[in-house]
Amino acid sequence: MSVPASPKDSKVFQFFLRVLHMRGWIVGVFLILTVAGIYGATLIPNDPAIDRLAVAGDPVARATMDFDRVFPEGEQALIMLEGPDPLSPAALRTADQLERQLAKIPGIKPHSLLDFFRRADPTKEISAGEAERLRPFATGTPLFRRAGLLGDHYLGIGIELRANSPQDRNRALAAIDSLVLPLENSGGPFTVVRRVGSPWLNAWLEHQTGVATKKFMPLFGIFLVALVLIVYRSLRALGAIIVTLGSVVAIAVGLAAIFGWSNTVVSTLVPLTVMVTTTATLVYIHSRYMEPDDAPTPLEHHAGALANKFLPSTASMFATAVGFAALAVSEIRPVREMGLWTAAGLVVAWVGCFTLFPALQSLFRTPLRSEGARVGRRFARFVDVLVPATNRYRWPLVIAAILVMLCGAAALFGIPGRLAPLELETDALTYVNPNVRVAQDTRRFQEFNGLDVVDLWIKTPPGHALDPEFLRAIERLTQRLEADSRITAVDGPTSVLRWARYLQSGTDKLPTDAPAWSKLAADLEQIMLTEPSAREYVDIADLASVRLSIRGRAELFGPTGAMRKFVERVWKEAKEKEPALQTAQGLLVGKGVLSTEITERLLPTLTESFALTASIIFCAFLVVFRSPSARLMTMIPSLFAILSVFLVMRLTGIPLNIATILIGSTVLGATENDQVHFFYHFLESRPTNSTGAALQHAMLIAGRPILFATLINASGFLALSFSDLPPMRQFGIVTSTAFILALLADFTALPGALWILSRYERHPAPRTA
C-alpha cells in the first residue's frame, strides 16, 4: 500500500532531515553513552531483601530503624537436626561437636539446649550419664520447644549471624553448609538436616535477582531476531533494531548508578520493559518507513516516515513513561524505584528511537517493502473480512467486553458479603521457588512452630525499665499473649528470669506476689551484668525501654494484619488494667510489622498508580485527539485487558504481590501505544471517508505493527515465566495474557465501539506535527 508523503515544510520534517545528515555524529555519541551505561550497570548494588521493601521515610520503617539502634541484633537462623531420637547420647555428642565447629566461624554465634545444661562447665563432654540426665532437663519445660531448640524428632541449634556485607554473609553461610550438610549422609544419628531462616532466603533472592536479567534477555533476543527476520526479511533492519536496543537498554540500566537505585526483586522488569516498549516503537517506525510513498528522494521519504510517526509515538511513549513515573506514589520502595527507573529509561528510549535508529537505518541502508508484497495482500484480505464483521456484530462485541470488564473488577475488589477481594501476600517464602531446599526446610519448620514475629517496643520514663512492678506487669502481659495457642513464644526481660529460674529450681513459673518481684528485678540486673544475651531485651543505656519479641503463626489469625491487631488489642487491655504500664508507650515495630504494612499497601499502590496512570494517559491523548469520545474509546482495549487479567488471576489462584501489583501500570502503559497509532491513522482518514474506509485505512497502516508489537510484548514478558522467582513468573504469565487480550480487543471491541460511536459523532482529524 502506498501512503502520502509528509509535508516538506513542517518543522518536524526538517528536523529529521538534519538528524539523517548528522547520522555519524549521533552514532558516535550513543557509542560513548553506551559504554558509560555498561560501566554504570556494574556499580548497581543488590538489595532484594523483603524486610527492606518500605521507603526510608515511612513511619513504621523509621520506628523500626530507631528500634534496631536501641536493640541491635544479627540475623536469626536455625539448624534442625532430625533423627529418630535427637536426645540420644550419639545425637547429643554430634550436635555438641557441630556447635563447637560453628562457633569458630567468624560472625556466627550458635546456641542450643546444651549450653543451658552445661552452664557450669561449657567444655564438659557429653557422656552417657550426662545424656541420661539431660533428657528430663530438656523435656521438663516448654521453653526449649517454644524457642525452636527441641521438637519431637529434632534438635535445634540457633544461630545469630552478624555480617558487614552480603559477601561476608555468603561466606559464613557457605562455611555453615560445609559443616551441616554432610551430616545427612554420614550414617550418624541425624538423617535430615534443615536450614531455616532469612539469611539463606535473602542469599537466594540476591543471587536470583543478579542473574535474572542475564537469563531472560537472551530468550527475548532469540525471539526478537526470529520475528524481525520473518517480518522484515532483512539483516540490515535486524542490525539497526538490535544495535538501537542494546544501546538504549545499556544507557537506561546505567542510570541507576547516577540516581542511587538498586537491584531488587522487581528491578528485572526495568530493562525488560524498556526493551519491549522500545522494540514496539521501532516496529511502528520501521513499518511506516518500509511503506513506499510519493516522496521524490529516499532521504525525504525517510524523514517523512519519521515525521509521520513522531507525534503518535511521542504521545504514547510519553504517556507510558509518565505512567510508570506514577508509581512514585507507592510507599513500597522497590516499586517506587522501579517506576522512576523505567520512566527515565523510556525517555532515553524515546531519544534513541528518533535519533540513533534513523541514523542506523540510513547507515545500513535498510530496504523498503516492494509495492503489493505478498504479506501485505494477505493482511489486506483479512482486513476486508474483519471490518464488516465488526460492524455486523458491534453490539455483541462491545457488550461482551463490558461484561468481562465488570467480572474482572469484581474479581479484584470483591463483592461485599459474597466475594472477598483478590488475595494479598508478601510472605518472604512466596518469593522463593518452592522447590528450593531452604524454602522447603523453612516450610517444614512452620508446620509446628511460628516464624511470624511482631516486636512490641515498650518505652518507659528513663530509669524505670527494671522497676519491680513494671517487670511484674510485663510478665502478666507475656502470659496473656502466650495464653493464645496461635502464639508460639514471647521473649522479653521476664523470659530471661524464667530461664534462670528453671536452671536454678527446675520450674519456669515466676511468682505472682508483689514482694517477690523486688528480688527478681535485682536478679535480672545481676544477670544482665554477666550475660550479654540478657541485654537484648532491655535498653541498658538509660533503662528507658524494653522489648517483647512475639512469635506466632500469622496464618492462624486470619486476614493480613490480624496478628498485629491481636497484639495491639492485648497491649491496650494490659495498659488499662496495669497501673505500672499507665505511663508506658507501646509501639509495634520490626521486620514482621513492616511486612504486614507492605501487604496492606499492595492494593492501594495498584489502584492509586493505575488511576494516576490512566488520568495522565487520558490527558496525553488530548495532544492527539480532540474528540472526548475518541479519547474514551482509545482506552477500551487496555481496560479490557487489565480487568480481564484480574479475572484470570482469580480463576488461577495467582495473588497480588509486589510484582503483580504492577500489572495495571505496565499493561496500560504498553498497550495504549497500539491504540494511539490505530486512532491516529483512523482519524487521519475519517474526515474524508466513511467509518468503514477509515477503519480499513487504520488497520492497513497500523494493524500489522500492532500485531507484531503485541507478539514482542507478550514474548518479552513471557520469558519471565522461566524465572525461579514465583512473583516474577506469575507476573510474566498474566502480563503476556493481558497483551493478547488487548490485541483481541484492538481487533474486535474497539472497531465495534467505533461503529456505534459513528452513528452519533463526526470524528475530527488528529493534530499534525
Side-chain angles (χ1 to χ4, degrees):
M1 165 178 187
S2 181
V3 296
S6 297
K8 299 179 182 180
D9 57 349
S10 75
K11 294 181 180 180
V12 177
F13 179 85
Q14 295 299 323
F15 169 78
F16 284 117
L17 282 178
R18 288 193 291 271
V19 167
L20 294 172
H21 284 300
M22 297 175 62
R23 54 187 180 271
W25 287 99
I26 291 172
V27 171
V29 169
F30 269 89
L31 177 61
I32 296 173
L33 293 176
T34 301
V35 173
I38 294 174
Y39 174 73
T42 63
L43 305 178
I44 304 173
N46 288 326
D47 189 15
I50 303 303
D51 59 304
R52 293 191 289 274
L53 291 180
V55 297
D58 179 81
V60 178
R62 286 201 305 267
T64 298
M65 291 175 62
D66 294 339
F67 172 78
D68 289 338
R69 281 192 288 268
V70 177
F71 300 103
E73 66 175 354
E75 294 185 85
Q76 303 298 316
L78 181 71
I79 302 296
M80 295 174 61
L81 304 173
E82 295 186 3
D85 184 5
L87 295 179
S88 67
L92 292 173
R93 282 193 287 268
T94 301
D96 181 38
Q97 182 181 6
L98 174 61
E99 185 176 353
R100 294 177 191 274
Q101 293 174 324
L102 290 172
K104 298 177 182 179
I105 302 174
I108 296 298
K109 183 180 178 181
H111 62 276
S112 69
L113 61 82
L114 296 173
D115 300 315
F116 293 95
F117 181 70
R118 304 180 309 185
R119 295 184 71 82
D121 185 6
T123 63
K124 191 174 183 179
E125 296 293 334
I126 302 294
S127 63
E130 288 292 303
E132 185 176 348
R133 287 190 295 273
L134 186 143
R135 188 179 295 271
F137 171 81
T139 57
T141 175
L143 291 175
F144 294 116
R145 288 181 177 270
R146 287 180 177 272
L149 299 179
L150 181 66
D152 291 337
H153 297 288
Y154 82 88
L155 188 66
I157 299 179
I159 290 176
E160 182 179 5
L161 190 158
R162 293 181 181 268
N164 296 322
S165 67
Q167 292 75 20
D168 290 342
R169 179 207 59 208
N170 292 342
R171 281 191 288 269
L173 293 179
I176 293 173
D177 292 347
S178 67
L179 294 174
V180 303
L181 294 181
L183 294 177
E184 288 187 327
N185 301 316
S186 64
F190 297 116
T191 56
V192 178
V193 176
R194 301 189 187 276
R195 298 160 296 165
V196 179
S198 61
W200 284 284
L201 297 177
N202 287 339
W204 186 88
L205 283 170
E206 287 182 10
H207 173 72
Q208 292 300 321
T209 301
V211 303
T213 301
K214 299 175 185 177
K215 182 177 181 180
F216 306 133
M217 286 304 180
L219 293 175
F220 177 70
I222 292 172
F223 180 85
L224 176 65
V225 169
L227 180 63
V228 170
L229 289 177
I230 292 173
V231 173
Y232 298 126
R233 302 178 183 180
S234 168
L235 291 175
R236 286 175 286 176
L238 174 65
I241 291 174
I242 295 297
V243 173
T244 301
L245 287 175
S247 177
V248 164
V249 171
I251 297 170
V253 172
L255 291 175
I258 299 176
F259 294 102
W261 299 320
S262 56
N263 285 323
T264 65
V265 291
V266 294
S267 61
T268 302
L269 297 178
V270 175
L272 183 60
T273 303
V274 171
M275 178 176 282
V276 166
T277 305
T278 305
T279 305
T281 301
L282 295 179
V283 165
Y284 283 110
I285 294 173
H286 194 69
S287 295
R288 176 62 183 85
Y289 163 80
M290 291 185 66
E291 296 292 344
D293 58 22
D294 52 5
T297 65
L299 190 66
E300 291 183 356
H301 162 76
H302 197 172
L306 292 168
N308 180 262
K309 282 299 179 184
F310 179 72
L311 183 56
S313 295
T314 299
S316 62
M317 293 194 76
F318 168 80
T320 304
V322 178
F324 276 102
L327 292 173
V329 303
S330 175
E331 295 183 7
I332 304 175
R333 181 182 59 83
V335 173
R336 176 182 294 187
E337 287 188 3
M338 180 266 180
L340 295 174
W341 192 353
T342 303
L346 290 174
V347 173
V348 172
W350 173 75
V351 175
C353 286
F354 287 104
T355 54
L356 177 61
F357 184 59
L360 292 173
Q361 283 179 306
S362 181
L363 287 173
F364 293 171
R365 297 181 181 180
T366 53
L368 303 179
R369 179 182 290 115
S370 61
E371 187 74 35
R374 182 177 302 174
V375 64
R377 293 198 301 269
R378 287 199 300 266
F379 190 78
R381 288 195 295 269
F382 169 72
V383 171
D384 289 339
V385 175
L386 177 66
V387 172
T390 56
N391 181 26
R392 185 179 307 113
Y393 301 107
R394 57 188 180 275
W395 282 109
L397 290 173
V398 172
I399 292 173
I402 292 174
L403 290 176
V404 172
M405 286 190 283
L406 291 175
C407 292
L412 174 61
F413 298 107
I415 302 174
R418 293 183 176 272
L419 184 67
L422 198 61
E423 181 185 356
L424 302 173
E425 68 176 21
T426 190
D427 178 6
L429 281 178
T430 62
Y431 291 79
V432 180
N433 188 329
N435 296 321
V436 172
R437 175 69 183 274
V438 293
Q440 294 175 342
D441 292 347
T442 304
R443 289 290 187 198
R444 170 65 175 167
F445 181 78
Q446 275 189 327
E447 291 178 3
F448 47 83
N449 215 318
L451 279 177
D452 300 292
V453 178
V454 173
D455 285 300
L456 177 58
W457 186 11
I458 304 175
K459 298 181 180 181
T460 70
H464 289 272
L466 294 181
D467 287 356
E469 281 304 310
F470 176 75
L471 291 175
R472 185 176 175 223
I474 292 297
E475 173 61 13
R476 282 202 283 259
L477 171 61
T478 300
Q479 291 176 0
R480 289 191 185 99
L481 290 167
E482 289 186 339
D484 192 296
S485 61
R486 298 169 295 184
I487 296 296
T488 303
V490 179
D491 296 321
T494 59
S495 63
V496 175
L497 292 171
R498 289 195 210 175
W499 284 103
R501 189 172 181 84
Y502 181 71
L503 294 176
Q504 293 173 358
S505 64
T507 177
D508 57 14
K509 303 298 182 183
L510 297 177
T512 58
D513 56 301
W517 278 90
S518 295
K519 182 179 184 306
L520 289 173
D523 291 344
L524 179 60
E525 186 172 1
Q526 185 63 34
I527 293 172
M528 290 171 56
L529 292 175
T530 58
E531 296 290 339
S533 59
R535 304 168 197 162
E536 297 176 357
Y537 304 106
V538 180
D539 175 15
I540 61 174
D542 51 13
L543 298 180
S545 64
V546 301
R547 67 177 286 194
L548 293 182
S549 184
I550 304 151
R551 184 158 46 87
R553 299 181 63 182
E555 72 275 10
L556 300 180
F557 283 87
T560 301
M563 179 176 169
R564 181 196 63 191
K565 293 176 182 177
F566 165 77
V567 175
E568 287 177 337
R569 186 178 70 252
V570 174
W571 161 250
K572 184 178 179 181
E573 293 171 353
K575 187 173 181 180
E576 292 174 350
K577 294 178 180 179
E578 301 287 350
L581 299 180
Q582 296 298 314
T583 58
Q585 176 190 6
L587 293 176
L588 293 181
V589 293
K591 297 175 182 178
V593 176
L594 271 177
S595 178
T596 300
E597 290 285 323
I598 294 300
T599 302
E600 293 175 340
R601 291 171 187 167
L602 289 177
L603 191 56
T605 291
L606 171 65
T607 54
E608 290 171 9
S609 62
F610 177 75
L612 187 54
T613 301
S615 299
I616 292 170
I617 290 177
F618 183 83
C619 294
F621 288 170
L622 289 173
V623 178
V624 183
F625 312 127
R626 289 171 288 179
S627 166
S629 56
R631 292 193 295 272
L632 290 174
M633 293 299 103
T634 303
M635 302 183 74
I636 285 179
S638 296
L639 294 176
F640 171 79
I642 293 168
L643 293 175
S644 298
V645 86
F646 287 126
L647 181 60
V648 173
M649 291 174 63
R650 168 73 72 169
L651 296 175
T652 57
I654 296 177
L656 282 177
N657 52 44
I658 194 172
T660 54
I661 60 169
L662 301 172
I663 289 173
S665 296
T666 302
V667 173
L668 184 59
T671 57
E672 54 79 29
N673 198 354
D674 299 337
Q675 286 97 60
V676 168
H677 287 276
F678 182 92
F679 252 79
Y680 183 83
H681 293 294
F682 174 79
L683 297 181
E684 186 179 53
S685 174
R686 187 66 177 92
T688 57
N689 290 292
S690 65
T691 298
L695 282 172
Q696 282 191 314
H697 174 79
M699 286 285 186
L700 291 172
I701 297 296
R704 278 180 300 172
I706 288 176
L707 176 61
F708 302 151
T710 299
L711 292 176
I712 290 168
N713 288 339
S715 64
F717 283 94
L718 191 60
L720 293 174
S721 63
F722 295 97
S723 174
D724 284 329
L725 296 168
M728 300 304 297
R729 183 166 61 246
Q730 294 163 353
F731 178 82
I733 293 171
V734 297
T735 304
S736 300
T737 303
F739 287 135
I740 299 301
L741 291 170
L743 175 66
L744 178 65
D746 282 335
F747 286 174
T748 56
L750 179 56
L754 290 175
W755 280 112
I756 295 172
L757 183 64
S758 67
R759 269 56 172 180
Y760 307 102
E761 180 180 348
R762 179 72 175 177
H763 289 267
R767 298 176 184 177
T768 57

